Amino acid sequence: MNADNHWHLIPYTIAIAHQKGGVGKTTTALTVGACLAEQKVHTLLIDLDPSLNLTTGVGLPPNLIDETLAEVLLAGTSLENAIRSTSYENLDILPSGPGMVSLSRQLHSRPSYETLLRKLINHQRMSVYEVILIDCPPMLDALTILALSAADLAIIPTQCEYYSLQALESMFRLIRLIRAKNNAQLRYRLLVTMFDRRGKFHARVFELLREHYSNALFKATIGFDTRVRESQMAGIPLTIFSPNCRAAEHYRSLSKELLFYVQKKRSEGA
Ligand SMILES: Nc1ncnc2c1ncn2[C@@H]1O[C@H](COP(=O)(O)OP(=O)(O)OP(=O)(O)O)[C@@H](O)[C@H]1O
Ligand SMILES: [Mg+2]
């Protein structure tokens, strides 16, 4: 799968979601996006989080953003104007901005708001993208529901920590609800982040995850790496900031595994 393939009329859509804060959602959206773009997969990032981390992560200055998904969905402004190119080839972003702060609240008064993002993704303008990666806020609110209702796959980043695992139950409940209500095709995969392979506790929790969710667990894991923080401070995706660091290699393995999965699902017609 690369930018030369034109069979993808509707992009494969991946929501990165977990209500637990700080588990690596934004890092995963940004770094996987950069890895896919490196592989010539035309990718759109959507920043659904009013905290703007993904938007600043690609180096966009937040004070220059006036159009976001909120303006497109609520005021009907043009999607074309809201999507920005980044400094990186094959990587565009629908950024977050001030308008996103009240979007969650305003969506509730719209009938069938859950399907609004999916309809937008079916828009012709989106057919130039092969993959869309949506970064969700750390809440199971209307924004996360919007994303999961539009997604083919949910990636749930989780640390090998008790509280992160505990929080998985509410994620699974929401996924079941969304499957029943408006997106029966929704699949999910767990991704272990900030993993300390040599730490006994992490290794034990990882084994538990493997026992319980073997088929739904990415083989790739993301190790703890201080270069991640440094790349975020610099506003440059990790794989470009520090191409050979440990976590960059881990994200490249993850992206390969993900592309293989996406291709398989596409060939099955899912
Ligand atoms: N593999 C890693 N190694 C070291 N630090 C990491 C790694 N992944 C993420 N971090 C750091 O952990 C913090 C949280 O990461 P990130 O912002 O990606 O999580 P999040 O789930 O998007 O958070 P939030 O729920 O607040 O949106 C950040 O400071 C980030 O730099
Ligand atoms: Mg985040």
Side-chain angles (χ1 to χ4, degrees):
M1 184 159 106
N2 62 48
D4 298 321
N5 292 340
H6 294 294
W7 45 261
H8 58 280
L9 287 175
I10 298 174
Y12 193 86
T13 302
I14 302 169
I16 299 158
H18 196 319
Q19 88 270 24
K20 177 96 174 60
V23 292
K25 293 182 286 296
T26 305
T27 305
T28 299
L30 178 59
T31 318
V32 169
C35 289
L36 294 180
E38 199 175 76
Q39 294 295 310
K40 300 193 172 21
V41 176
H42 202 184
T43 303
L44 176 71
L45 301 171
I46 299 183
D47 189 356
L48 271 195
D49 191 344
S51 69
L52 307 161
N53 294 344
L54 184 59
T55 301
T56 55
V58 289
L60 281 189
N63 55 335
L64 294 185
I65 311 264
D66 43 14
E67 292 194 14
T68 67
L69 182 70
E71 284 72 25
V72 175
L73 290 185
L74 300 176
T77 63
S78 122
L79 181 61
E80 201 71 48
N81 290 344
I83 292 178
R84 306 286 188 104
S85 49
T86 68
S87 315
Y88 314 104
E89 209 181 338
N90 296 317
L91 191 65
D92 291 348
I93 185 165
L94 180 49
S96 182
M100 294 296 287
V101 176
S102 56
L103 179 59
S104 180
R105 191 165 26 83
Q106 286 175 289
L107 280 174
H108 282 295
S109 58
R110 302 265 160 154
S112 312
Y113 79 83
E114 297 94 333
T115 57
L116 289 176
L117 184 55
R118 175 141 29 110
K119 284 185 188 139
L120 196 71
I121 286 172
N122 291 344
H123 189 288
Q124 206 188 356
R125 167 69 176 86
M126 295 294 206
S127 66
V128 297
Y129 299 108
E130 293 173 84
V131 173
I132 294 181
L133 293 166
I134 310 173
D135 184 29
C136 296
M139 273 166 277
L140 299 185
D141 66 349
L143 296 178
T144 297
I145 291 173
L146 198 66
L148 292 175
S149 304
D152 299 293
L153 175 71
I155 294 183
I156 310 171
T158 182
Q159 287 171 268
C160 282
E161 304 288 347
Y162 181 63
Y163 290 138
S164 300
L165 298 185
Q166 210 180 26
L168 284 177
E169 274 314 308
S170 341
M171 270 306 299
F172 293 145
R173 222 174 297 128
L174 182 64
I175 286 174
R176 280 197 295 273
L177 200 78
I178 285 177
R179 278 180 179 160
K181 212 171 161 203
N182 56 39
N183 187 8
Q185 303 304 317
L186 179 63
R187 300 276 179 271
Y188 70 84
R189 282 282 176 283
L190 298 175
L191 171 68
V192 170
T193 57
M194 294 179 245
F195 186 41
D196 171 14
R197 194 171 282 279
R198 282 173 302 179
K200 277 204 178 115
F201 185 76
H202 274 197
R204 217 164 70 211
V205 175
F206 186 67
E207 276 316 307
L208 279 179
L209 280 172
R210 249 212 314 233
E211 273 168 31
H212 280 83
Y213 306 108
S214 59
N215 291 333
L217 187 64
F218 278 112
K219 286 193 179 64
T221 56
I222 312 298
F224 188 91
D225 191 332
T226 50
R227 304 297 268 170
V228 172
R229 284 204 179 115
E230 291 166 20
S231 69
Q232 281 162 350
M233 271 183 76
I236 300 173
L238 178 71
T239 42
I240 292 153
F241 178 80
S242 181
N244 301 317
C245 74
R246 210 153 43 107
E249 291 300 342
H250 295 162
Y251 271 113
R252 283 204 188 89
S253 301
L254 169 69
S255 302
K256 273 194 201 135
E257 194 180 338
L258 179 65
L259 266 185
F260 185 75
Y261 176 86
V262 171
Q263 276 170 326
K264 187 162 166 274
K265 289 290 164 200
R266 280 283 155 132
S267 65
E268 289 166 2

